[in-house]
Amino acid sequence: MSRRNQHRISAEQRRTSRQRFWRHLRRCMLAGLVIVGSGAGLWWLNDVLAVSSWSIRGKANLKAAIEKQLAAMPDKSYLHTRPGVLHDAWLAAIPDMAEVQISRILPDTLHITAQARIPIALWQDEAGVIYLVDEKGKAYRKLARGESPDLPMLRIASQELAQAHTLLTELKKLQVRDLNSLSEVRSADAAWLVYFRKGERWLIPQQREAIVFRQLNTLLAQPRWRARSWRIDARTTSRWFIRPAKHEGVI
């Protein structure tokens, strides 16, 4: 009966193997201690750098809204008060705010500058709900109870809101009429019905607002037309129909 050859491990090899094992174990333990220590340190810093004071620049309503947001935060630690986190949360929660800049002064202070939206019109949607519209043409919130800003009313469908914003932008840019005199805008049959104070009303073809406003700007700057209010139908390119604003009935 034959015996298998067995490879014998020398004492030196066993000693080297044990040393290698203990070196590896020490490295793992050291790495674990570093990780635990770092985590504990970060946790400590997270609490030490918690926000305890702030300054806010902006309109009174925005300052009050931001104060309310901060007061409602149960955790003002560093991770929860990073400027990027607060920026996105506040823009979503405060519709009257167009933008906010937040800077952090270590260890515990926030400097906040809030910019308000500028409403330029009211929009009545298909359900009769009225919204405020900002200078970018966005309907950003419902009109609050008791709120009555002196702004023109857009009585149009939701899909026409962007185009109506273009109409207002062109009207303001060309200064055909003072926007403060604009009272209402409606749409019908691919045309805008633009109502001003003193009974003035224009019928403007959609998609051709800029061209028509330039022509109106030239026309109404002439002495014959400047001092009066008019009802103007500019839907056709070949001929316009113009009547004094006091004229009743359909143009």
Side-chain angles (χ1 to χ4, degrees):
M1 180 175 179
S2 62
R3 297 175 58 188
R4 294 183 178 179
N5 293 330
Q6 294 182 350
H7 178 68
R8 295 182 175 230
I9 300 175
S10 67
E12 181 65 24
Q13 288 175 319
R14 285 195 295 271
R15 185 165 54 253
T16 301
S17 178
R18 284 196 298 272
Q19 289 173 347
R20 191 160 48 241
F21 168 77
W22 286 113
R23 281 197 303 271
H24 178 70
L25 182 61
R26 283 195 296 271
R27 283 197 295 267
C28 290
M29 292 176 65
L30 181 60
L33 288 172
V34 169
I35 292 172
V36 171
S38 298
L42 289 174
W43 188 265
W44 175 78
L45 278 175
N46 186 47
D47 289 336
V48 167
L49 298 179
V51 167
S52 61
S53 64
W54 49 82
S55 64
I56 306 173
R57 296 177 59 188
K59 288 189 174 182
N61 64 320
L62 296 184
K63 292 173 69 173
I66 292 172
E67 289 279 5
K68 184 177 179 181
Q69 291 291 316
L70 286 165
M73 291 182 64
D75 186 353
K76 296 184 180 65
S77 63
Y78 177 81
L79 291 176
H80 289 84
T81 56
R82 287 171 293 160
V85 172
L86 295 179
H87 174 275
D88 294 345
W90 290 350
L91 283 183
I94 307 173
D96 285 322
M97 187 163 65
E99 188 52 83
V100 60
Q101 288 82 40
I102 306 168
S103 60
R104 189 179 187 100
I105 308 300
L106 294 176
D108 61 355
T109 303
L110 293 177
H111 286 183
I112 304 161
T113 301
Q115 299 172 6
R117 292 187 190 273
I118 301 174
I120 62 169
L122 302 172
W123 170 51
Q124 186 178 53
D125 70 4
E126 296 88 339
V129 180
I130 298 176
Y131 294 82
L132 287 166
V133 178
D134 68 10
E135 69 276 16
K136 295 183 179 180
K138 180 179 180 179
Y140 59 93
R141 71 166 172 84
K142 295 178 182 178
L143 193 67
R145 183 182 296 273
E147 199 174 11
S148 56
D150 185 16
L151 296 170
M153 177 70 74
L154 308 178
R155 300 185 192 276
I156 57 177
S158 55
Q159 65 269 22
E160 297 173 315
L161 192 56
Q163 194 177 346
H165 174 251
T166 300
L167 173 88
L168 297 178
T169 302
E170 292 294 334
L171 190 60
K172 180 179 179 180
K173 181 171 65 177
L174 295 172
Q175 299 181 343
V176 185
R177 279 285 186 266
D178 184 355
L179 278 182
N180 291 330
S181 68
L182 180 63
S183 62
E184 188 172 324
V185 176
R186 297 173 180 261
S187 67
D189 299 326
W192 298 113
L193 286 80
V194 185
Y195 295 86
F196 296 90
R197 294 168 186 167
K198 298 182 180 180
E200 189 165 18
R201 185 182 70 184
W202 301 349
L203 277 166
I204 306 296
Q206 294 181 2
Q207 310 296 340
R208 296 183 57 243
E209 299 93 338
I211 296 172
V212 172
F213 283 157
R214 281 196 294 269
Q215 294 170 338
L216 275 171
N217 201 31
T218 301
L219 174 69
L220 297 177
Q222 297 175 20
R224 176 186 175 186
W225 306 96
R226 186 186 306 148
R228 299 186 64 179
S229 300
W230 306 94
R231 290 197 172 188
I232 301 172
D233 185 345
R235 288 175 293 179
T236 62
T237 57
S238 58
R239 183 174 181 176
W240 289 1
F241 298 90
I242 303 176
R243 300 287 186 274
K246 65 180 181 179
H247 179 75
E248 298 297 332
V250 179
I251 297 177

